[in-house]
Amino acid sequence: VATHQTTSAGVAAEADAGLIAGYALDDFFDEMFDAAGKPRDHYRALFQNLSAMTRANLEERIRTANAFFQTQGIGFTVYGDDADAERIFPFDLIPRIVPADEWSRIERGLTQRMRALNLFLEDVYHRQRVFSEGIVPPELVFGSLNFRREMIGFDVPGGVYAHVGGVDLVRDGDGRYLVLEDNLRTPSGVSYMLDSRLALKRLFSTLFDQYGVRPIDHYPRLLSDTLGSVAPRGRDPLVVLLTPGPHNSAYYEHSYLARQMGVEIVEGRDLLVRRNRVYTRTTKGLEQVDVIYRRVDDDYLDPLAFRQESILGVPGLMNAYRAGNVTLANAVGTGVADDKAIYPYVPQMIRFYLDEEPVLDNVATYRCTDPDDRAYVLEHIQELVVKAVDQSGGYGMLIGSASTAKQRAAFRRLIVATPRNYVAQPEVALSRHPTWVDGQLRGCHIDLRPFVLTGAEAVAIVPGGLTRTALRPGSLVVNSSQGGGSKDTWVLT
Amino acid sequence: MLSRVAESLHWTARYVERAENVTRLLDVTFHALLDAQSADDRAMAWQRLVAMFGVDGAYQKAYRRYDATSVTEWLLWHEGNPNAVATCVTLARENARAVREQISNEMWEAVNNLYLVVRSANRSAPARGPHAIFEQVRNGSHLFQGTAAATMVRGEPYEFVQLGLQLERANTTVRAIAARYAVAWSLHPDDPVRAAQLVSLLRSCSAFEPYVKQHGLAFEPLPVAEELLRSPEQPRSVLSCLRACVDSVARISGSDGPQVRMLGRLCSQLEYGELADPSGPAVTGEMHVLLAGIYEIGEAIRRAYFSSQALIATLGEQEGQQQQCG
């Protein structure tokens, strides 16, 4: 293949054969190709593979992958009254590749960030130095819907609040990794990460040979070790996974993780509290529970402490927790640290608690509580992305460049009325990655959600994470609830 | 295993078996009555079938007469009937769905297909010829039980499925005897209806052909009842079903528990006891005592494995022991 520079509107220079022919770069940072249109070194083997592949080859592999997912029972099970169709989860075959040096920086950055966030939570619910030293305005914390006064003065087992964290990373137009948001309550998606790898190992086994991809399939064991390390009693701990039940959209993941860890998956009605101890109801009697990996939100955990109408929870659970007889992972009240209004302060937290410079930067963020920032946001709303601080999954959001005058006016009114509820960010030109869309490879925007496990002794991160991809060219929304898909993520040795 | 899961498995199996039994009893009656003489006899027979499931009062609120169309509709579809085939199949599916991850895919598909077949059946057609739906429900039930036997790991979940199935089966056989024995007994030995009643009873329990092989074509009430109560070879005899329950309970929690003893006592009574008074009313009375015994066993199982109250009581014991140790 002859190497030649292209001057035409951003078509990748060497992309002249096989599936990759005519691949358009436009003006975005592309993971596979550099700005000159040449494949980056760590993508060369994949690039050559795709150059030699026909559409029929790839479609055959897609069919094999789908058959694999179906026979393994992997998918979103849609429990409806009319049909019990299992939808195969949206998945793209082309892997995303991260070189070792990039990953080691990400890993350092994530470890640092999660340590700081855990220290922040400990501080918020104890001495509150972060307020007295003027790092974070106290009203932002006390005004958060996710602040839990029940946690004040309570020492969580092992000193860990966010045992499982999902940190969403994006790359900007220069390829810099930036933190878009932290998820410290019940982050999901790890089963898609593991399933994508299983599928890719079958479909691209020779590429795995060529590349040296770091393994991820020990995640369930790491999670199990993490949960065991924070058990309140010094015996072989009984761990259970608490799910809202089969109707929850992430139930597949709950059941998958429970089976992989060899622990019981329970609903609230399977547990009961007597004398501040938590038990499972089994056919052999009651068994005391030490650690609950809960995938139920704070609000629904205990009808005596939080929402009274909740039937998902366990009456008395908070008392048992505060008595130190059971560990909840994640801890109650972690939502105060992944609040979008707190997010702009994380870099200062890292400096304050760890006396280090942040390894990974935030996306620049305007705080609507700050008068200057607010004025800027109101004036430049058309160039910004406005986000409600208490919503996620792509809801409660205004993308200025794609909005109507009426929508912008509505958001301006909301910002003026309740500035605490909004932050704004410049639109990030997310990096793109070749993705199979409508029978050809197109550049689609991606992000990356690594999963960070924090135990009593150590922080563990399996190399990679869930790469989410928009499945429509041009779309910036990668959430699966909004039509996004997932990719396998290869961190190289 | 979790009590909730055990209970759901138990009831999935029980409701599937009940759907099959209701269907078979309906099928047998339907065919037997094609030979019956008077309209009054037919109405009487239909009434006995409805009464067998203990909801006669509810039936009379919904229908004025006992005839093939009304009773078929009542037993297959009617929402006021807690034992209607459609209700049983829906409940079986709901229980299975709650433990979808704990059963094999094949079992789930069997229950789900049975549900889809029943739900999509043409509800007006059976009055003219219900054989198709009878056959579909029977096949669906057999498919479920077969896949359970062929795909479930032998362990507690499997035993709770067997327990549900066998208890329901024992219950149905006793009810069938209670419904038909006294009628046959009251008729003159030469009355052809007497033999027909006993043949129907045997068919209700899938026991006709094996019985004829062993006893020939002379149908007498007492031998027929004896066979259905205590033959160790008949898979639907009460003794066979209860022995299977003993095995399951022993595998779940050892052979010296109170539930095993309860079941064992009932088995011994069946095996070594005899129907001292073979008159119709006396045997019907005996059957009601037996039904009460089976109900008690169901309750004992619920208390031991499914109910929180019993579990909390075991907690009291544990704490007591801990205090003694400490």
Side-chain angles (χ1 to χ4, degrees):
Chain A
V1 177
T3 307
H4 57 90
Q5 286 293 117
T6 177
T7 48
S8 67
V11 172
E14 294 182 22
D16 55 2
L19 289 176
I20 201 75
Y23 177 77
L25 291 176
D26 304 324
D27 282 331
F28 294 96
F29 182 91
D30 194 277
E31 298 283 343
M32 186 180 275
F33 298 98
D34 64 20
K38 286 173 62 179
R40 299 176 196 277
D41 283 345
H42 58 279
Y43 270 101
R44 187 157 284 278
L46 175 62
F47 166 78
Q48 282 163 351
N49 206 289
L50 292 174
S51 298
M53 201 182 281
T54 64
R55 184 171 166 167
N57 290 154
L58 189 75
E59 283 177 344
E60 171 61 30
R61 286 177 203 232
I62 291 172
R63 275 195 297 278
T64 311
N66 287 347
F68 168 75
F69 289 137
Q70 215 145 33
T71 52
Q72 298 288 305
I74 295 167
F76 300 111
T77 305
V78 185
Y79 293 104
D81 280 341
D82 287 328
D84 215 80
E86 276 200 351
R87 188 155 62 93
I88 292 171
F89 85 110
F91 163 72
D92 183 71
L93 237 55
I94 316 299
R96 183 237 191 107
I97 303 174
V98 181
D101 57 330
E102 273 179 30
W103 176 253
S104 78
R105 211 175 140 264
I106 292 173
E107 195 171 34
R108 270 188 298 128
L110 294 172
T111 307
Q112 177 193 55
R113 194 173 177 99
M114 287 302 296
R115 280 175 61 213
L117 287 165
N118 270 302
L119 289 168
F120 169 70
L121 284 161
E122 209 267 338
D123 192 17
V124 159
Y125 291 117
H126 290 82
R127 293 175 58 199
Q128 306 187 332
R129 283 170 55 226
V130 75
F131 305 143
S132 53
E133 302 283 329
I135 310 297
V136 174
E139 62 272 18
L140 284 186
V141 170
F142 297 129
S144 168
L145 288 174
N146 297 306
F147 177 76
R148 296 281 176 266
R149 74 182 68 218
E150 295 82 354
M151 294 298 288
I152 291 178
F154 169 55
D155 298 331
V156 295
V160 185
Y161 285 83
H163 309 80
V164 183
V167 181
D168 291 349
L169 301 175
V170 295
R171 297 182 84 177
D172 66 7
D174 301 322
R176 283 193 312 151
Y177 285 93
L178 300 171
V179 176
L180 185 67
E181 64 182 48
D182 306 291
N183 296 279
L184 306 180
R185 282 169 276 179
T186 56
S188 65
V190 78
S191 59
Y192 301 142
M193 171 182 91
L194 298 170
D195 286 339
S196 303
R197 176 60 54 87
L198 279 182
L200 269 269
K201 272 187 176 168
R202 294 172 157 241
L203 299 173
F204 288 106
S205 50
T206 50
L207 268 179
F208 274 90
D209 251 8
Q210 285 171 271
Y211 263 116
V213 179
R214 293 183 60 188
I216 56 170
D217 47 17
H218 54 303
Y219 179 85
R221 210 190 62 226
L222 287 179
L223 176 58
S224 174
D225 291 348
T226 301
L227 297 169
S229 78
V230 291
R233 287 185 289 165
R235 53 156 201 152
D236 196 13
L238 182 69
V239 178
V240 298
L241 187 152
L242 176 65
T243 174
H247 296 282
N248 187 272
S249 61
Y251 183 75
Y252 167 72
E253 175 160 311
H254 304 165
S255 123
Y256 179 92
L257 286 175
R259 277 178 288 146
Q260 292 293 315
M261 290 195 289
V263 305
E264 205 72 73
I265 179 168
V266 302
E267 299 177 21
R269 56 198 160 119
D270 296 323
L271 299 178
L272 75 94
V273 177
R274 299 289 285 185
R275 300 183 196 178
N276 285 344
R277 288 187 170 78
V278 183
Y279 298 89
T280 50
R281 306 169 203 259
T282 81
T283 53
K284 302 256 191 282
L286 297 170
E287 289 179 24
Q288 190 176 346
V289 177
D290 302 289
V291 181
I292 302 176
Y293 177 38
R294 51 96 170 203
R295 299 291 298 257
V296 171
D297 291 339
D298 285 358
D299 270 348
Y300 298 95
L301 271 181
D302 180 352
L304 298 181
F306 306 116
R307 289 199 188 190
Q308 288 175 15
E309 78 278 13
S310 169
I311 50 163
L312 302 175
V314 186
L317 182 57
M318 270 309 280
N319 280 343
Y321 181 44
R322 287 184 49 98
N325 291 329
V326 69
T327 302
L328 295 177
N330 290 352
V332 170
T334 53
V336 77
D338 69 13
D339 190 304
K340 289 190 180 71
I342 299 296
Y343 161 88
Y345 298 90
V346 178
Q348 281 110 298
M349 281 179 208
I350 292 172
R351 295 185 190 100
F352 178 65
Y353 291 115
L354 305 176
D355 199 20
E356 294 172 9
E357 275 304 302
V359 177
L360 295 167
D361 289 328
N362 270 8
V363 174
T365 303
Y366 300 97
R367 311 154 189 166
C368 294
T369 45
D370 178 291
D372 293 343
D373 279 12
R374 184 166 64 239
Y376 181 87
V377 171
L378 293 173
E379 195 170 327
H380 295 87
I381 196 162
Q382 196 158 358
E383 304 144 32
L384 300 171
V385 177
V386 183
K387 294 174 172 178
V389 295
D390 54 356
Q391 294 193 47
S392 60
Y395 298 100
M397 213 165 100
L398 177 87
I399 298 178
S401 61
S403 63
T404 64
K406 201 174 159 190
Q407 286 168 332
R408 288 194 293 277
F411 264 80
R412 278 201 192 91
R413 278 195 301 277
L414 288 167
I415 291 167
V416 172
T418 51
R420 163 69 178 82
N421 288 355
Y422 293 92
V423 294
Q425 294 168 336
E427 208 170 279
V428 182
L430 299 187
S431 65
R432 299 204 313 191
H433 196 288
T435 300
W436 188 249
V437 179
D438 301 333
Q440 57 174 316
L441 286 174
R442 305 278 298 266
C444 286
H445 295 294
I446 58 169
D447 76 354
L448 175 63
R449 174 180 287 186
F451 295 91
V452 187
L453 298 173
T454 307
E457 261 95 59
V459 175
I461 311 171
V462 292
L466 175 67
T467 290
R468 298 187 295 182
T469 173
L471 289 174
R472 275 172 293 149
S475 169
L476 285 169
V477 185
V478 295
N479 306 67
S480 60
S481 55
Q482 312 270 341
S486 78
K487 275 178 178 297
D488 193 14
T489 310
W490 294 4
V491 173
L492 304 182
T493 48
Chain B
M1 70 185 297
L2 289 177
S3 297
R4 169 178 56 85
V5 174
E7 190 170 18
S8 287
L9 287 172
H10 179 83
W11 282 103
T12 303
R14 235 182 138 151
Y15 281 123
V16 169
E17 175 69 20
R18 188 173 299 175
E20 183 194 332
N21 291 340
V22 171
T23 311
R24 189 169 352 83
L25 289 161
L26 183 58
D27 191 11
V28 168
T29 308
F30 204 90
H31 285 264
L33 289 185
L34 296 178
D35 299 330
Q37 310 87 339
S38 72
D40 279 356
D41 283 353
R42 284 205 292 272
M44 285 278 287
W46 284 120
Q47 181 171 13
R48 278 196 297 277
L49 184 61
V50 170
M52 209 180 124
F53 296 99
V55 283
D56 208 22
Y59 178 90
Q60 285 167 6
K61 276 191 194 127
Y63 299 96
R64 279 186 302 171
R65 293 184 304 144
Y66 291 93
D67 56 28
T69 310
S70 308
V71 175
T72 302
E73 185 182 88
W74 171 253
L75 290 179
L76 287 181
W77 321 115
H78 200 279
E79 284 173 7
N81 179 6
N83 295 318
V85 169
T87 311
C88 290
V89 167
T90 304
L91 289 172
R93 180 177 179 269
E94 271 175 22
N95 275 287
R97 194 165 71 166
V99 293
R100 173 89 167 78
E101 308 294 328
Q102 320 269 346
I103 58 177
S104 64
N105 263 330
E106 291 92 335
M107 276 173 78
W108 165 250
E109 279 170 25
V111 178
N112 198 38
N113 284 340
L114 178 57
Y115 167 81
L116 293 175
V117 160
V118 168
R119 209 189 50 160
S120 61
N122 181 347
R123 298 194 173 190
S124 54
R128 292 193 292 278
H131 311 91
I133 189 74
F134 293 164
E135 197 175 298
Q136 282 167 328
V137 172
R138 195 187 60 215
N139 288 348
S141 164
H142 289 174
L143 186 62
F144 171 81
Q145 292 173 4
T147 43
T151 62
M152 279 190 94
V153 175
R154 296 303 187 263
E156 273 193 63
Y158 177 76
E159 302 304 339
F160 279 106
V161 166
Q162 291 306 312
L163 204 49
L165 188 156
Q166 298 291 352
L167 268 186
E168 185 63 29
R169 215 172 255 182
N171 190 306
T172 309
T173 300
V174 180
R175 282 180 191 276
I177 299 172
R180 294 195 187 273
Y181 184 92
V183 183
W185 178 266
S186 66
L187 295 169
H188 191 273
D190 294 335
D191 189 333
V193 177
R194 184 165 102 144
Q197 281 289 339
L198 294 171
V199 168
S200 289
L201 174 54
L202 286 166
R203 285 196 199 282
S204 304
C205 304
S206 306
F208 175 72
E209 287 175 31
Y211 181 88
V212 171
K213 268 190 196 139
Q214 213 177 343
H215 301 274
L217 286 166
F219 299 104
E220 289 300 325
L222 194 59
V224 167
E226 296 276 354
E227 176 88 357
L228 294 178
L229 283 173
R230 53 177 133 258
S231 160
E233 287 94 25
Q234 293 282 3
R236 289 179 185 275
S237 80
V238 182
L239 183 62
S240 291
C241 297
L242 293 181
R243 276 186 177 163
C245 292
V246 172
D247 291 346
S248 286
V249 172
R251 282 190 210 105
I252 292 164
S253 50
S255 51
D256 55 354
Q259 296 81 31
V260 169
R261 286 201 295 276
M262 245 176 118
L263 276 160
R265 275 198 298 275
L266 208 52
C267 287
S268 296
Q269 280 167 23
L270 275 170
E271 195 172 359
Y272 302 113
E274 55 188 341
L275 294 169
D277 178 356
S279 75
V283 170
T284 308
E286 291 279 333
M287 291 306 107
H288 284 114
V289 172
L290 195 48
L291 272 184
I294 293 170
Y295 175 80
E296 270 310 310
I297 285 164
E299 278 298 289
I301 284 165
R302 188 182 64 76
R303 282 194 303 270
Y305 303 121
F306 310 147
S307 143
S308 319
Q309 291 314 312
L311 291 173
I312 291 167
T314 64
L315 181 65
E317 278 170 34
Q318 283 170 14
E319 281 173 351
Q321 282 162 10
Q322 276 165 9
Q323 278 160 11
Q324 281 161 18
C325 295

